[in-house]
Amino acid sequence: MAIRNDDGRAELAARLDQLYGIVDESPLLGLDEAEKEQLVAGAAADILYKDSYLPKLARSELERNLREGLSAADPTGMGGNNYFEPFRLTKAGYEHAKAAVIEAGKSISSETFRATSDYNEEVLDRAAFALIEHPYVKSGEGRERMFIEDAALHASFGDAYEKARAVYMENVPEARTNVLEPPRPKPRAEPRERPAERKGFVARHRKAIGAAFAASAMFAGIGYVAYNAWQDGVRSQERVDQLKSHGGTDDTAKGFNARYGPKLAGPGNIFNSSVLSLYDVHVDNATLAEILESGARTTDGSLWGTVKFAADNLQTPQYMPKTLVEAKCMSKLVKGVNDIAAYPKELKAYSMDSKTLLYDMGIGSANETAAWGGVRSVANYMLGLIRNGNITTAGLDGEDLRRLVMPIQLANTDIKTGEHGQYSLATFMKNTTPDDSLSGLTPLQWLGKTVNQIRVEKGPRYNEALRLANATLSNISEDDAQPAFRYEIKNLPEKNDILLLYEGGGLRASYVNANGTVTGPIVAVSGAYIPFYDCIVGMSLGMPVTVRRANYPMPNNIGQTMVHDDPCVWSPTFHRYVGPFMHPDEMMKSYTNPNIKMDLKEYTLDGELVPVTGN
């Protein structure tokens, strides 16, 4: 406690007598005897004749070093991650930080050394930059701009600063003795007259009073851990009380605080609304909260936007991320796709599709940033169609919705040429990047616009596409399956859209003009590749497409088969897929040769072919 006037002199004297000699035995600041005497005199005057400077400085330093170094790790301004976690340095980490601190101390100028607070800050600044292997940048507007432009660098610097400070405060004696050095007192031309009895005390205890500085240094060094533990306990209970007032049980509040308290408490030791949303998730599902807090914390994502989405949709757990990678994908989507958090099932579908295409199938391994640019392009386009009422996802969910919003065929089918090949980032980016030859539209946007124009105009290309589709269906060898399909769709309001899909949205149709000239296809998609092209065409119609493969018998049943891929199109009316290959029982009737067994398979969401079981 601060000492005022003569109060507590006996207690002070006893304490100083105990610590007598510390100044002489400690390498106190490396000062010579004259400097040390001047420092002691100034400290003595401050202790006796006003609120003690040393205890106040000790409290100030301890508060500043209580493991909650204010950071800019939350550049979004939402305030959810204002504090770093307590550091538990490994032996190797400690040695690394210690070496950086000692080296930094050698770089400090004598002028900076005289101004203690500047000395402390520069030692830690230089050590932190050394730990992250970045050139030292002096504090000021230039450094602030650098950190604002590079949040990751700022977070790394803050982390390194805390490590350096932990060593500086607790483990490096030659540095620790500098921590509480008060500013050098200015010479007084005419010192104030002091009461005689007070001067007598100073004269009698001058050297012992000097030890008070060392005592305060010891308090910061030796007593730091105990004081810190006490402060942590007080602050911890404050956080628990806030959480309990928000909801949940004592156990959930304590569990959340133990896991996230020191890390996420904001200024004033208060959890902000974003963190309280995470607490709401924790109360409902602690595992989900941990997945979100860890997985959604990504540089170009939105941790707190994703947390809010989860808190607002706890009643639909099927749309929550199940893994850290899914949470990462959701975070990036919430940050980069307009209003996607307002579409829970679509957000879930895109997070799963992104995980599959970019990570499971490895499309993003060459350039993850570019791949995510493609994902955002697709999602913003499709969400725009949904938002504007061009398509509807009513009745779609899970895998069916995933086939609609971002089919993997975007990565192996060239929209402009109809060519089909291996899954690649190059094809995915080509289909999702604005193209000057398409008036600045992406090929995906251009395809949707072209198909819609063909549907609306219902001109010769549209009519020819329907004619060709009917002819194609009539030629399918599974004679019993084909009529079953034709009968199934004959009265559907979406019948013509289904037939249009069978001809690549009409883009591959050619037709003869009135003057006898021929207008060729817009995109000459090969017949074998139409099913995969249809998967992309279906996006702009709101009709997902799945592709099945069968070894159907050759004509005249001569004992040979031919592999054929066929599209199966989603019927909004039936809320299921329709197509000849959706009738395996009828297809079986075509396999009259006992040596030929039907082998019906379907492409999964990651491009694998698996046997069809049931319908």
Side-chain angles (χ1 to χ4, degrees):
M1 185 175 71
I3 300 174
R4 296 178 182 273
N5 299 328
D6 297 334
D7 297 340
R9 282 187 179 183
E11 180 183 349
L12 174 63
R15 181 183 177 200
L16 294 181
D17 284 340
Q18 269 188 325
L19 299 172
Y20 188 84
I22 290 180
V23 172
D24 288 336
E25 296 186 14
S26 169
L28 180 66
L29 310 176
L31 303 178
D32 61 26
E33 290 302 317
E35 290 174 321
K36 204 178 290 187
E37 185 178 5
Q38 186 180 10
L39 175 65
V40 169
D46 277 338
I47 287 176
L48 293 174
Y49 299 115
K50 64 179 181 180
D51 284 355
S52 173
Y53 175 83
L54 292 177
K56 284 202 298 185
L57 181 61
R59 287 197 303 273
S60 148
E61 287 291 321
L62 286 167
E63 288 291 333
R64 191 174 65 85
N65 290 282
L66 275 177
R67 297 189 294 185
E68 312 105 300
L70 189 63
S71 78
D74 182 23
T76 63
M78 300 189 71
N81 183 27
N82 288 325
Y83 296 100
F84 287 99
E85 293 183 75
F87 283 97
R88 300 290 184 264
L89 290 178
T90 62
K91 182 177 180 181
Y94 161 71
E95 293 297 339
H96 191 195
K98 178 179 177 181
V101 168
I102 293 174
E103 191 63 31
K106 297 177 183 177
S107 306
I108 305 302
S109 67
S110 58
E111 290 77 12
T112 302
F113 177 78
R114 298 302 177 205
T116 309
S117 60
D118 291 344
Y119 174 85
N120 295 332
E121 290 300 325
E122 189 171 335
V123 166
L124 296 177
D125 278 359
R126 287 180 178 272
F129 277 118
L131 286 171
I132 62 175
E133 300 181 349
H134 190 285
Y136 171 68
V137 180
K138 187 176 181 180
S139 179
E141 290 185 6
R143 190 166 88 180
E144 290 301 316
R145 282 195 301 271
M146 178 180 74
F147 284 153
I148 289 172
E149 293 171 359
D150 192 340
L153 174 64
H154 196 176
S156 298
F157 173 81
D159 182 67
Y161 187 94
E162 288 296 311
K163 291 178 180 177
R165 189 168 66 183
V167 171
Y168 188 64
M169 287 294 295
E170 298 186 51
N171 298 309
V172 184
E174 61 265 42
R176 189 181 66 227
T177 52
N178 292 323
V179 172
L180 295 180
E181 176 195 359
R184 292 176 55 78
K186 296 179 180 179
R188 294 175 181 169
E190 297 181 1
R192 287 188 296 168
E193 186 67 23
R194 306 292 185 187
E197 68 277 14
R198 293 178 178 172
K199 289 181 179 178
F201 181 86
V202 172
R204 290 194 306 275
H205 297 281
R206 190 169 194 172
K207 192 168 184 179
I209 289 171
F213 176 72
S216 295
M218 287 183 65
F219 175 66
I222 300 172
Y224 174 72
V225 175
Y227 180 82
N228 195 33
W230 172 77
Q231 272 290 66
D232 274 358
V234 172
R235 294 180 178 225
S236 179
Q237 188 57 49
E238 289 174 349
R239 295 192 295 266
V240 169
D241 291 342
Q242 182 196 2
L243 293 171
K244 288 169 64 178
S245 68
H246 185 72
T249 65
D250 186 64
D251 286 343
T252 55
K254 288 180 177 178
F256 183 88
N257 180 61
R259 176 68 178 82
Y260 306 105
K263 182 178 186 178
L264 299 181
N269 197 38
I270 298 297
F271 292 121
N272 66 17
S273 59
S274 295
V275 181
L276 291 178
S277 291
L278 182 64
Y279 177 62
D280 290 336
V281 177
H282 175 86
V283 170
D284 184 79
N285 186 332
T287 300
L288 173 59
E290 191 163 344
I291 288 172
L292 287 168
E293 199 281 329
S294 298
R297 191 179 290 281
T298 178
T299 304
D300 54 349
S302 174
L303 166 63
W304 299 114
T306 310
V307 168
K308 184 179 186 305
F309 160 77
D312 290 345
N313 292 279
L314 289 173
Q315 73 281 4
T316 51
Q318 68 271 29
Y319 300 141
M320 298 298 108
K322 301 295 190 295
T323 66
L324 296 178
V325 176
E326 287 180 40
K328 172 184 176 179
C329 292
M330 276 196 176
S331 180
K332 290 175 178 288
L333 289 161
V334 170
K335 177 72 173 291
V337 181
N338 296 332
D339 300 325
I340 195 170
Y343 299 86
K345 66 179 183 179
E346 285 81 3
L347 174 55
K348 173 66 174 181
Y350 271 113
S351 68
M352 296 296 292
D353 279 346
S354 301
K355 174 182 176 294
T356 295
L357 189 61
L358 273 60
Y359 303 111
D360 297 344
M361 297 176 65
I363 297 302
S365 60
N367 189 331
E368 185 178 357
T369 300
W372 269 107
V375 170
R376 287 190 288 269
S377 174
V378 175
N380 275 309
Y381 168 66
M382 292 297 288
L383 260 291
L385 295 182
I386 295 170
R387 190 182 303 114
N388 296 332
N390 300 103
I391 64 173
T392 177
T393 58
L396 287 171
D397 210 340
E399 291 192 357
D400 302 321
L401 183 60
R402 289 182 59 188
R403 292 185 189 278
L404 173 71
V405 296
M406 196 169 72
I408 59 174
Q409 286 74 20
L410 284 167
N412 75 346
T413 303
D414 188 315
I415 292 174
K416 285 179 63 178
T417 66
E419 295 175 356
H420 179 79
Q422 298 296 317
Y423 296 100
S424 71
L425 177 61
T427 300
F428 183 63
M429 294 308 300
K430 185 175 181 181
N431 285 333
T432 59
T433 301
D435 187 326
D436 289 341
S437 69
L438 303 176
S439 302
L441 299 176
T442 68
L444 177 61
Q445 293 169 333
W446 167 82
L447 176 64
K449 179 180 179 182
T450 304
V451 171
N452 186 61
Q453 185 176 355
I454 293 171
R455 289 173 70 217
V456 171
E457 291 179 353
K458 291 184 170 53
R461 190 181 301 279
Y462 177 83
N463 294 327
E464 180 63 11
L466 297 190
R467 187 192 70 77
L468 289 171
N470 276 299
T472 300
L473 289 171
S474 298
N475 290 330
I476 292 179
S477 295
E478 285 79 356
D479 294 332
D480 294 295
Q482 189 270 342
F485 167 59
R486 292 169 65 85
Y487 178 80
E488 180 180 38
I489 68 171
K490 69 175 184 177
N491 294 320
L492 287 180
E494 63 268 23
K495 173 186 174 181
N496 285 346
D497 283 342
I498 293 172
L499 295 176
L500 190 66
L501 263 170
Y502 266 84
E503 284 300 311
L507 276 76
R508 70 187 297 263
S510 300
Y511 59 92
V512 179
N513 298 291
N515 60 5
T517 60
V518 177
T519 298
I522 299 173
V523 179
V525 186
S526 167
Y529 301 151
I530 291 176
F532 308 104
Y533 201 85
D534 288 346
C535 293
I536 304 175
V537 173
M539 296 173 69
S540 60
L541 298 177
M543 300 166 71
V545 176
T546 184
V547 180
R548 288 188 169 187
R549 169 175 287 186
N551 60 331
Y552 65 85
M554 292 289 286
N556 303 318
N557 197 17
I558 59 177
Q560 295 180 341
T561 60
M562 178 179 292
V563 173
H564 175 73
D565 294 318
D566 207 59
C568 302
V569 184
W570 180 264
S571 164
T573 301
F574 290 150
H575 287 184
R576 58 176 173 80
Y577 295 97
V578 295
F581 283 15
M582 292 302 296
H583 298 274
D585 292 340
E586 298 299 320
M587 291 172 65
M588 284 290 294
K589 296 176 182 178
S590 297
Y591 292 81
T592 57
N593 188 320
N595 296 320
I596 300 176
K597 303 296 182 184
M598 184 176 72
D599 184 19
L600 181 62
K601 295 181 178 179
E602 184 170 11
Y603 286 90
T604 64
L605 289 164
D606 59 1
E608 296 295 323
L609 268 172
V610 298
V612 172
T613 56
N615 290 336

